[in-house]
Amino acid sequence: MTTTWRHLPAPAREIAQAATEAVGAAQDRDAEAYEPAVGRLAAADRAGLVLGGVVRLLLEEGHPDGLDGDDVRQVLERCVRSNAAWRPDVDPHVLLVLLAGALGVYDPGDDDAPPDPAAIARHAPLLVADLLAATGRPLAGYLSAAFAEVARTELHD
């Protein structure tokens, strides 16, 4: 069963569709489908915010007692190793930025080489797919929760 995302505004719907396609391609290790999907993610405003929310939710679910440095290292190493064969351009620094950003501890001003939106878009689906493999659950629920969180935050700002 696929989610249509019709209830979302057009920009959010584009993020949801592109993220679903990119994560699915990452899960299938389908480079041909991955490239256009991450291109759409890179072009979508706020895609990084939504995917960061998905990553945070997955990390919280996978580590209900909290995350320590060893847990972050294990997630990072597992993601790099599982994707290096089909994505030789996987960059551990970008994945670490995604993890730190999702946890709210990343300051781009402290980074000598902060990744650009295209690098974030190329790596976020890899990390999400890796974290989803640990839960055995589909992406749709996490995306819905991330969109709800963004909407709540925007209402309170």
Side-chain angles (χ1 to χ4, degrees):
M1 180 176 174
T2 60
T3 305
T4 62
W5 307 106
R6 285 185 204 142
H7 64 285
L8 295 173
R13 193 168 46 247
E14 174 62 16
I15 293 169
Q17 291 169 340
T20 300
E21 290 172 16
V23 170
Q27 290 169 322
D28 295 340
R29 309 265 194 263
D30 183 347
E32 190 173 311
Y34 192 75
E35 292 305 323
V38 297
R40 287 173 54 202
L41 276 177
D45 187 36
R46 302 175 66 103
L49 178 65
V50 173
L51 288 172
V54 170
V55 169
R56 186 186 54 72
L57 291 165
L58 285 163
L59 289 170
E60 288 175 355
E61 184 174 316
H63 300 87
D65 296 328
L67 215 61
D68 64 19
D70 286 337
D71 295 326
V72 171
R73 182 181 45 76
Q74 288 174 347
V75 168
L76 180 63
E77 287 177 357
R78 184 184 66 225
C79 186
V80 170
R81 285 189 181 122
S82 70
N83 287 292
W86 82 282
R87 297 292 309 175
D89 61 340
V90 66
D91 185 340
H93 175 73
V94 177
L95 292 170
L96 182 59
V97 166
L98 286 165
L99 286 166
L103 296 171
V105 296
Y106 176 70
D107 180 0
D110 293 338
D111 192 342
D112 292 337
D116 63 17
I120 296 293
R122 278 192 313 275
H123 287 76
L126 301 176
L127 182 57
V128 170
D130 184 73
L131 292 168
L132 282 171
T135 69
R137 294 192 181 149
L139 173 63
Y142 296 102
L143 267 177
S144 293
F147 279 119
E149 189 173 287
V150 169
R152 255 190 321 276
T153 302
E154 288 179 351
L155 281 175
H156 290 102
D157 284 349

